[in-house]
Amino acid sequence: MTTQGSAESSRYGTVQVQVTFTGSRIAVITLLQAPDGGRSLTALPKLQEEAIKAQSADIDTVTGATETSESYKTSLQAAIDARGKQR
């Protein structure tokens, strides 16, 4: 099952994720929209890795990319919540 998160805007750009689940586990997180510069370029891969390890949006923000991190976590939580509604 695949769900899309909300498009979350900040002054650095918009973040939106798509989550593919295998059973109840997060298997893949794909960025549909992402800021194209700054610390976001290094923060987003870290956030993806942490979210897959944690199997949730309850992950730490990346220092120096707080707004992007918060946008990522909000979009991810929306995608996780959408999965529950589709079941």
Side-chain angles (χ1 to χ4, degrees):
M1 171 183 290
T2 300
T3 60
Q4 288 185 3
S6 53
E8 297 295 324
S9 298
S10 74
R11 63 180 154 168
Y12 299 105
T14 301
V15 177
Q16 183 179 23
V17 300
Q18 176 177 286
V19 179
T20 302
F21 296 90
T22 301
S24 62
R25 297 191 51 81
I26 296 171
V28 178
I29 302 171
T30 305
L31 285 166
L32 298 178
Q33 296 184 65
D36 58 3
R39 293 181 190 249
S40 299
L41 296 177
T42 56
L44 290 167
K46 290 178 186 175
L47 292 164
Q48 286 178 284
E49 182 180 330
E50 290 302 313
I52 289 173
K53 281 183 191 174
Q55 289 294 299
S56 83
D58 186 17
I59 55 176
D60 291 333
T61 59
V62 174
T63 302
T66 303
E67 285 190 45
T68 298
S69 296
E70 292 300 327
S71 294
Y72 181 90
K73 294 191 305 183
T74 301
S75 182
L76 176 59
Q77 188 61 56
I80 293 168
D81 292 347
R83 178 185 173 270
K85 293 175 185 170
Q86 290 182 6
R87 292 168 84 190

